[in-house]
Amino acid sequence: FVVAQANVHDPEARLALSPLTESPLVCEAIVRYVMRSQQDLVLDDASQSTLFQSDPRVARQGVRSVLCLPLVSQHRLHGVLYLENNLTPGAFVPERSHVLKMLAAQAAIALENAQLYASLEERVAARTAELGSANARLEAEAAERKLVEEKLSESQEQFLTFMQLFPAPVFIKDAESRTLYVNRSFEEYFGGDWLGRTPHELFPPDVAGQMEADDRATLAVGTVERSEIVADTQGALHIFQ
């Protein structure tokens, strides 16, 4: 592609991406030759060059002086500088060519830096998009988790309300037989401070041992087995089923 072009009638460089094959100001054969060889090419008269005199554009436009330089940096071709003078043969003398070669080297470095910067911008944009997508997923997951927690809290409140109004004594234990919850009927019937305490903290060793054995059996089989334990609580005998 031709990305920038200028001529004596319009010296201001114009940026216009156009296919190399469609450019009226560039000899495609010369440009491709330099791209392949990555060597400087100076033609005093292209119409007399054995390499290009038969090229249709050279013959049609009467191409004379040509200077074509590869823009190479760190062994990578970044572009080609193409200069053409159709009025005078031998227009690109060594003194002028030397300056242009220096400018071409600087241009190659600038192009490489521009490409690196563009690549970096693309990677940053892609990473930003990834982070944005990840943040969106995290926000959606957080919102879903919050909704689940609210529903769970609501269900727990409904369950505890139901348990409080249930007419029979109800208690809940953890895997270590520690009492986690008792309903109102349980408190009214048994009294005492049950929460956070194990059977060994509430009953004699024989009764506590039987209660814990029943709890372990229930955990092992996953179903509640009916059992009866007579125990003294608050100075009265009660039957735990």
Side-chain angles (χ1 to χ4, degrees):
F1 286 93
V2 176
V3 297
Q5 57 188 25
N7 57 61
V8 293
H9 304 294
D10 183 14
E12 184 176 351
R14 292 184 291 111
L15 299 177
L17 190 66
S18 61
L20 177 62
T21 54
E22 299 177 6
S23 175
L25 301 178
V26 176
C27 178
E28 180 185 357
I30 293 176
V31 171
R32 293 196 181 280
Y33 176 86
V34 171
M35 291 175 63
R36 289 194 301 271
S37 66
Q38 296 190 19
Q39 299 294 324
D40 302 344
L41 178 66
V42 180
L43 299 175
D44 291 333
D45 191 342
S47 63
Q48 300 301 316
S49 169
T50 55
L51 288 174
F52 305 107
Q53 62 183 0
S54 60
D55 182 81
R57 185 182 180 282
V58 171
R60 183 174 60 254
Q61 300 290 340
V63 178
R64 306 293 294 276
S65 300
V66 174
L67 174 63
C68 194
L69 304 176
L71 305 182
V72 178
S73 176
Q74 296 185 5
H75 307 292
R76 291 182 57 191
L77 179 68
H78 297 282
V80 170
L81 175 65
Y82 178 90
L83 301 177
E84 180 181 299
N85 185 326
N86 295 337
L87 300 178
T88 305
F92 301 106
V93 295
E95 293 78 7
R96 294 178 181 176
S97 300
H98 178 70
V99 174
L100 290 172
K101 289 178 182 178
M102 292 178 60
L103 293 175
Q106 295 300 317
I109 295 173
L111 284 172
E112 182 180 30
N113 290 339
Q115 291 170 350
L116 289 174
Y117 182 76
S119 176
L120 178 61
E121 280 192 324
E122 290 178 1
R123 291 198 297 270
V124 169
R127 183 57 178 165
T128 301
E130 290 177 1
L131 291 175
S133 178
N135 287 337
R137 289 196 301 270
L138 289 175
E139 290 175 358
E141 291 175 359
E144 183 178 359
R145 187 180 302 111
K146 181 179 179 181
L147 180 61
V148 171
E149 290 174 351
E150 290 175 351
K151 293 294 184 182
L152 179 60
S153 177
E154 182 180 346
S155 298
Q156 289 176 338
E157 290 178 3
Q158 292 175 349
F159 172 76
L160 293 177
T161 299
F162 173 76
M163 288 293 100
Q164 285 295 92
L165 299 176
F166 196 70
V170 175
F171 62 93
I172 298 175
K173 295 182 179 181
D174 63 12
E176 298 176 352
S177 297
R178 182 175 286 102
T179 304
L180 301 178
Y181 169 83
V182 295
N183 70 347
R184 185 179 304 162
S185 297
F186 189 99
E187 291 177 338
E188 293 175 351
Y189 189 71
F190 296 105
D193 184 12
W194 293 76
L195 295 180
R197 304 176 72 180
T198 63
H200 281 283
E201 298 174 276
L202 297 167
F203 301 102
D206 56 335
V207 175
Q210 185 178 351
M211 283 185 169
E212 291 184 347
D214 290 342
D215 292 341
R216 288 193 296 270
T218 298
L219 290 173
V221 300
T223 59
V224 178
E225 298 291 336
R226 182 178 178 85
S227 63
E228 293 186 357
I229 300 175
V230 179
D232 184 356
T233 62
Q234 299 295 311
L237 293 177
H238 294 285
I239 299 177
F240 292 83
Q241 296 184 333

